[in-house]
């Protein structure tokens, strides 16, 4: 991802004055141990925030983990809270194009000026902890550890009324867990990052359950039985209340509509009908149900019905960039950050329900720590042709290797390979232009989605 510019937006206005400094900060952060190698420790981040005066304790936190749907659910929660008039902070990862996307204040990426100023404020403390860690024979702060401290400090500086914090990886030892979430939210849990989190759903769930704090409100999507057992165990241990989708709350219905879908949800404290959600996919309707229950838990302890007009606004203005997002027309080009098998299955299902393509070309790039074979198996049935490429990430599976996987898993699907995302996307768009009702879907990794957005903006065909 370091090959992507921090920003290529010529319309940043006064913020462009701080672009060079912001680029320098980002490069300094990138010089640390990367996100592909997270440190399974919490003490280092805890030491930084202690030196900073524990900024994460200056506002309430809604903490979110899971395997799929974390970012979308986080963004829907934030949108509803903002509709209530609260000043919100949102921390998510990774970014698509600009690193500022990871730290949102009131729904907007942090300005370059604030990004630089807040980093300069905390840098002496990062250096101090780096020195302490080296003296103890440990690795200095990693990228995500330093960035988490920056996010918490930025929200305190804003200041925000509430922060919605998305876990980077796992939960128990994730850097974000130095914050204590009054509400702990769990999206669906499945196998991913098995080398770090464990090779069973139960082990992964146990690690993620580490974000549950004493007396917290816990809201969870429908889970596999073994995962739910771990959440129940942790909730009981922490004397936390547990609300499970399907019993305590549920999605009553969702209907395809122009630009998204109309949903009805039975929440913890009320039923909310005919809400327009401008996101595609049945899974996004499920994410919205979880988000509503989380906001109910935060604002009224799960016992106070949300204000109808405010909820309607919050749902209707929610967005989730890079998730079944249409970025081009004539031909239609869709990007989706499906980077694991469950995400790929959700994408394949949504294409058949929410779009009317006769044929689809899939531009695919996968990172080397992902289950490429299962991703291909999920996508091949909806693909007329798969155009294999490698994103700008150093962790991208080489083109030849990924093409071989596609040919082995989907021998009846046409496969082409391209050295760069630009070449693959250009070829896919040319293919789609040759016949009506053809579409292009770019997927497989978040870094590939970022590459696609940069290309679309540069060539002027983005929506």
């Amino acid at each position: 991802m370091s090959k992507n510019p921090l920003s290529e937006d010529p319309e940043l206005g006064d913020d462009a004055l701080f672009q060079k400094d912001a680029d320098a900060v980002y490069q300094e952060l990138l010089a640390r141990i990367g996100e592909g190698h997270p440190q399974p420790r919490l003490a280092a981040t805890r030491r930084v925030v202690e030196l900073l005066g524990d900024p994460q304790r200056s506002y309430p936190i809604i903490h979110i983990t899971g395997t799929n749907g974390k970012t979308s659910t986080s963004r829907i929660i934030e949108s509803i809270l903002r509709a209530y008039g609260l000043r919100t902070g949102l921390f998510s990862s990774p970014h698509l194009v600009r690193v500022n996307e990871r730290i949102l204040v009131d729904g907007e990426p942090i300005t370059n000026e604030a990004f630089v100023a807040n980093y300069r404020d905390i840098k002496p403390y990062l250096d101090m902890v780096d020195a302490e860690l080296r003296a103890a024979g440990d690795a200095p702060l990693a990228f995500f550890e330093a960035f988490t401290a920056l996010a918490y400090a930025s929200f305190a500086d804003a200041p925000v009324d509430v922060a919605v914090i998305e876990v980077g990886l796992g939960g128990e030892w994730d850097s974000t867990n130095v914050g204590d979430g009054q509400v702990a939210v769990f999206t669906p849990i499945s196998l991913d990052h098995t080398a770090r989190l464990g090779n069973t759903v139960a082990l992964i769930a146990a690690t993620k359950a580490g974000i549950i704090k004493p007396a917290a409100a816990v809201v969870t999507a429908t889970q596999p039985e073994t995962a739910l057992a771990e959440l129940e165990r942790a909730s009981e241990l922490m004397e936390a209340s547990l609300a499970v989708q399907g019993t305590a709350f549920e999605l009553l219905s969702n209907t395809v509509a122009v630009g998204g879908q109309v949903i009805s949800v039975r929440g913890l404290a009320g039923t909310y009908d005919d809400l327009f959600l401008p996101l595609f996919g049945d899974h996004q309707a499920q994410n919205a149900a979880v988000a509503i229950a989380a906001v109910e838990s935060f604002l009224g302890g799960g016992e106070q019905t949300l204000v109808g007009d405010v909820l309607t606004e919050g749902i209707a203005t929610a967005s989730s960039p890079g998730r079944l997002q249409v970025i081009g027309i004539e031909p239609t080009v869709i990007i989706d950050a499906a980077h694991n098998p469950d995400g790929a299955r959700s994408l394949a299902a949504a294409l058949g329900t929410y779009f009317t393509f006769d044929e689809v070309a899939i531009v695919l790039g996968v990172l080397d720590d992902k289950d490429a074979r299962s991703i291909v198996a999920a996508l091949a049935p909806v693909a007329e042709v798969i155009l294999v490429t490698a994103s700008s990430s150093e962790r991208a599976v080489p083109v030849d290797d990924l093409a071989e996987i596609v040919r082995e898993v989907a021998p009846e699907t046409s496969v082409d390979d391209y050295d760069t995302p630009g070449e693959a996307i250009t070829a896919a768009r040319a293919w789609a232009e040759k016949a009506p009702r053809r579409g292009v879907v770019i997927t497989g990794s978040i870094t590939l989605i970022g590459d696609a957005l940069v290309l679309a903006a540069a060539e002027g065909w983005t929506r």
Side-chain angles (χ1 to χ4, degrees), residues 44-381:
T45 309
R46 194 180 302 281
R47 175 63 174 153
V48 176
V49 294
E50 284 175 352
L51 291 172
L52 292 172
D54 284 321
Q56 79 284 4
R57 301 193 188 282
S58 64
Y59 40 79
I61 289 172
I62 298 176
H63 206 177
I64 301 173
T65 190
T67 303
N68 288 299
K70 294 190 299 295
T71 298
S72 293
T73 304
S74 298
R75 292 183 68 98
I76 298 170
I77 290 171
E78 185 275 337
S79 185
I80 299 171
L81 294 172
R82 187 157 32 89
Y84 263 88
L86 296 174
R87 185 166 171 81
T88 58
L90 173 62
F91 181 49
S92 62
S93 60
H95 59 279
L96 297 178
V97 179
R98 298 181 67 213
V99 71
N100 308 51
E101 298 166 17
R102 296 176 182 237
I103 302 174
L104 270 61
V105 176
D106 262 353
E108 296 294 332
I110 188 172
T111 65
N112 287 334
E113 181 179 9
F115 180 74
V116 171
N118 291 331
Y119 178 75
R120 287 173 176 169
D121 284 344
I122 73 167
K123 188 179 186 304
Y125 302 96
L126 299 179
D127 293 341
M128 189 182 305
V129 175
D130 284 341
E132 292 176 355
L133 289 167
R134 290 190 180 98
D138 294 329
L141 291 163
F143 173 94
F144 194 73
E145 290 172 320
F147 209 97
T148 298
L150 175 59
Y152 279 135
S154 297
F155 294 147
D157 178 71
V160 301
D161 298 317
V162 55
V164 182
I165 304 295
E166 178 189 332
V167 162
L169 181 65
E172 180 181 9
W173 44 261
D174 185 77
S175 297
T176 63
N177 207 29
V178 297
D180 294 332
Q182 285 86 336
V183 181
V185 182
F186 294 84
T187 62
I189 298 171
S190 59
L191 292 176
D192 198 10
H193 299 291
T194 53
R196 292 280 180 173
L197 304 180
N199 58 6
T200 69
V201 170
L203 286 172
I204 293 172
T207 299
K208 294 182 183 294
I211 72 167
I212 298 175
K213 301 299 171 64
V218 181
V219 174
T220 179
T222 303
Q223 300 289 0
E225 184 177 340
T226 54
L228 182 59
E230 292 296 332
L231 301 186
E232 290 173 336
R233 178 195 60 76
S235 296
E236 182 178 357
L237 183 65
M238 291 294 178
E239 297 183 348
S241 63
L242 175 63
V244 181
Q245 186 176 18
T247 54
F249 66 96
E250 63 181 329
L251 175 70
L252 297 175
S253 66
N254 66 306
T255 306
V256 178
V258 176
Q261 55 191 305
V262 175
I263 66 173
S264 293
V265 174
R266 175 176 65 84
L268 299 176
T271 297
Y272 313 99
D273 293 318
D274 300 328
L275 302 169
F276 175 68
L277 176 68
L279 302 175
F280 299 108
D282 291 354
H283 58 292
Q284 294 290 21
Q286 300 289 351
N287 290 338
V290 173
I292 288 170
V295 174
E296 287 180 313
S297 296
F298 178 74
L299 291 178
E303 298 179 354
Q304 183 176 327
T305 303
L306 299 179
V307 178
D309 290 347
V310 176
L311 177 61
T312 296
E313 178 187 346
I315 294 292
T317 55
S319 65
S320 191
R323 278 75 182 174
L324 277 168
Q325 178 185 357
V326 179
I327 65 167
I329 56 175
E330 297 181 355
T332 299
V333 179
I334 297 168
I335 53 174
D336 190 77
H339 58 276
N340 56 40
D342 278 357
R345 284 188 282 269
S346 293
L347 167 59
L351 288 176
T353 303
Y354 290 81
F355 300 91
T356 57
F357 299 127
D358 287 339
E359 296 178 316
V360 172
I362 290 181
V363 177
L364 183 68
V366 181
L367 300 187
D368 59 15
D369 61 340
K370 301 298 181 180
D371 183 357
R373 300 184 72 86
S374 295
I375 291 172
V376 172
L379 295 176

Side-chain angles (χ1 to χ4, degrees), residues 39 60 131 185 192 223 291 339 387 399 429 462:
Q39 303 300 295
V185 182
D192 198 10
Q223 300 289 0
H339 58 276
L387 298 88
V399 173
R429 294 182 70 234
T462 187

Side-chain angles (χ1 to χ4, degrees), residues 4 96-97 390-393 421 425 446-456:
N4 279 345
L96 297 178
V97 179
S391 72
S392 57
S393 171
I425 294 168
I446 294 174
T447 55
L448 180 61
I449 298 309
D451 291 341
L453 286 168
V454 170
L455 177 70

